[in-house]
C-alpha cells in the first residue's frame, strides 16, 4: 500500500541544514497495524507528515497505492488526504473558532457530505469518545485529553482507509487510552483499516503486527510480532 | 505549605454552569512529592492553575504559606508566581516569536536578573534537558517532546521552591521521561523542593509520597506511600 524509498527530509535554516530523516526505506501493507517508536526528536512526526501527504520529501520517493505522491498535483493530494487518510495530530490542531462539533464535521464538509448526515456522524463519533456533553464547547474550554479525543473523532469522520495517529494517547489516563486503543484495533480487525501509530505507550505495541524503531532520522530495526 | 479548603471552580457559559471542582479539600506540606491522578476531564489542570495562582476559586479558600491568595493584590500574586512557583504546562505554552533560549530566559528577565547570568543559567538548563543543539531554534521547529523539554527547562529558570508539572512526560519516550523524572526527584530529595505532578504515568507515582485521586471534580482518595 505504502512504500518509502530512500526518503530524506532536510530542513534549511539559513546557513544551517538539519536532516530530520536520512534515507528511510519502509513498506507498509494494506490493513497492517504498525507502531512507530523512537526517542523524542528522532523523526517520527516528520515521517508521519510525509506519509500523510502533508509534506514532500527532500529526496527519495513515497508511493501510495503505487502512485508517486511527489508527482501528484495538489488537487489529487487533497483528494487523498480528504478521503483516504485520517490524521490524529500530536498537538491536535483543532480550529479554535469552531465548536467541538463543527471541528469533527469539517472533513465531511470538505467532502461535500450533506449537512444533516455530517452532523449525525460527528455526534456519533463524539459520543464514542465520551464527549457527547461537550459538543457545543469551544476547544479552549476543554481539558488536554478532551481535545485529544476531539482530534481522534475528527480523524474518523470520513471513515478513512488509513489512520495515522501521532501519539494519540499521550494526554489520556490509562483507562481512556486503553478504550481508544481497543477501538482503533477494532477498526483494524473488523474493517481492515491500515493503522499507523506513533507512540511511547508499550501497550499499543502489543496490538501492532509490525514495530518500526527510529533513531536520529534512520530506521534502526523493524520487528514483526 | 499549601492548603485548599472547600475549593470550587465553576465555569459560567451563558445559561449553562459547569463545576470543574466541587468542594476540594487538600493539604500539601513543604518539600512533599505529590502525584495527582484521575481520568481525562476530571479537574486536574483546573486544580493546578488554582494552586499556581494563575486563577482564583469560585468558592472556598487557597492558602499558600498561610496567606489567602484570593486576598492578595495582583503584584503580590505576580511575585509569588515569578519567584516561588515553576509551572510546566500541559500544552507547553511557549512564546512562538521567541527562540528556545529566550523562552527559558524569560522568567529570569521578569525577575530582573542580569542578562548574562540569565543566559548562562538558561543554557545550562537546556543542556540538562538535552537541547543544547536547539537553543536558537523557534518552538515551531521543534518536535512535541522537544517543546515539552523547553517548558521543563523554563519552569526551573528561577530555581523555584515549588514545581507544578502538568503531565510533564506525556510527549516523551520512556527513556527521556525517566531521566526527567529522576531529575525532578533529585530536586525534591537534595534541595527540598515541593513537587506536584499531574500524571497518567504510573512510574511517576512510585516517586510520590502522597497520591491524590480526582474524579468528576472531587477528591476520591489520598494515599500515602
Ligand atoms: N474555560 C472553561 N469553560 C468551561 N469548561 C471548562 C473550561 N476549562 C475546563 N473546563 C472543563 O472542566 C473540566 C476539567 O478540565 P481540566 O482541564 O481540569 O481536566 P483534566 O483533569 O486536566 O483533564 P486531562 O487529563 O484531559 O488534561 C473539563 O470537563 C473541561 O471541559
Ligand atoms: N521546521 C523545522 N525546522 C527545523 N528543524 C525541524 C523542523 N521540524 C522538525 N525539526 C527537527 O526535526 C527533528 C525531528 O522532529 P520530529 O517532530 O519528527 O520528532 P519526533 O520523533 O516526532 O519527536 P517527539 O517524540 O518529541 O514528538 C527534531 O530534532 C526537530 O528539531
Ligand atoms: Mg512527534
Ligand atoms: Mg489536564
Amino acid at each position: 500500500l505504502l512504500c518509502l524509498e530512500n526518503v530524506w527530509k532536510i530542513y534549511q535554516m539559513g546557513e544551517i541544514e538539519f536532516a530530520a530523516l536520512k534515507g528511510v526505506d519502509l513498506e507498509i501493507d494494506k490493513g497492517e497495524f504498525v507502531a512507530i517508536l523512537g526517542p523524542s526528536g528522532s523523526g517520527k512526526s516528520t515521517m508521519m507528515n510525509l506519509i500523510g501527504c502533508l509534506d514532500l520529501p527532500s529526496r527519495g520517493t513515497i508511493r501510495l497505492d503505487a502512485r508517486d505522491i511527489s508527482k501528484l498535483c495538489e488537487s489529487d493530494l487533497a483528494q487523498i488526504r480528504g478521503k483516504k487518510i485520517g490524521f490524529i495530530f500530536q498537538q491536535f490542531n483543532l480550529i479554535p473558532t469552531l465548536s467541538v462539533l463543527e471541528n469533527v464535521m469539517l472533513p465531511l464538509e470538505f467532502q461535500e457530505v450533506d449537512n444533516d448526515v455530517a452532523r449525525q456522524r460527528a455526534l456519533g463519533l463524539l459520543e464514542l469518545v465520551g464527549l457527547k456533553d461537550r459538543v457545543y464547547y469551544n476547544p479552549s474550554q476543554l481539558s488536554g485529553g478532551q481535545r485529544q479525543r476531539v482530534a481522534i473523532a475528527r480523524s474518523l469522520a470520513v471513515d478513512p482507509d488509513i489512520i495515522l495517529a501521532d501519539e494519540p494517547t499521550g494526554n489520556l489516563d490509562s483507562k481512556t487510552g486503553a478504550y481508544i486503543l481497543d477501538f482503533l484495533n477494532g477498526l483494524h480487525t473488523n474493517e481492515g483499516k491500515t493503522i499507523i501509530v506513533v507512540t511511547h505507550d508499550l501497550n499499543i505495541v502489543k496490538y501492532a503486527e509490525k514495530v518500526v524503531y527510529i533513531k536520529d532520522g534512520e530506521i534502526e530495526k523493524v520487528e514483526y510480532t
Side-chain angles (χ1 to χ4, degrees), chain A residues 13-50:
Chain A
M13 292 159 287
E15 297 255 323
I16 308 171
E17 212 179 66
F18 177 76
L21 293 176
K22 309 170 194 163
V24 167
D25 297 309
L26 182 64
E27 271 184 38
I28 291 175
D29 302 324
K30 186 156 160 50
E32 221 171 8
F33 191 132
V34 184
I36 300 177
L37 269 63
S40 169
S42 54
K44 307 179 297 295
S45 295
T46 301
M47 194 165 93
M48 290 290 265
N49 289 340
L50 294 176

Side-chain angles (χ1 to χ4, degrees), chain A residues 133-154:
Chain A
D133 298 332
R134 291 284 179 280
V135 301
Y136 299 117
Y137 275 50
N138 183 279
S140 65
Q141 297 170 315
L142 299 181
S143 77
Q146 288 170 339
R147 288 174 199 172
Q148 189 153 45
R149 284 183 272 156
V150 176
I152 291 165
R154 179 182 61 182

Side-chain angles (χ1 to χ4, degrees), chain A residues 35 181 201-209 211 225:
Chain A
L181 178 56
D201 183 353
L202 300 178
N203 287 317
I204 296 190
V205 176
K206 298 188 197 130
Y207 286 85
E209 294 158 313
V211 185
T225 58

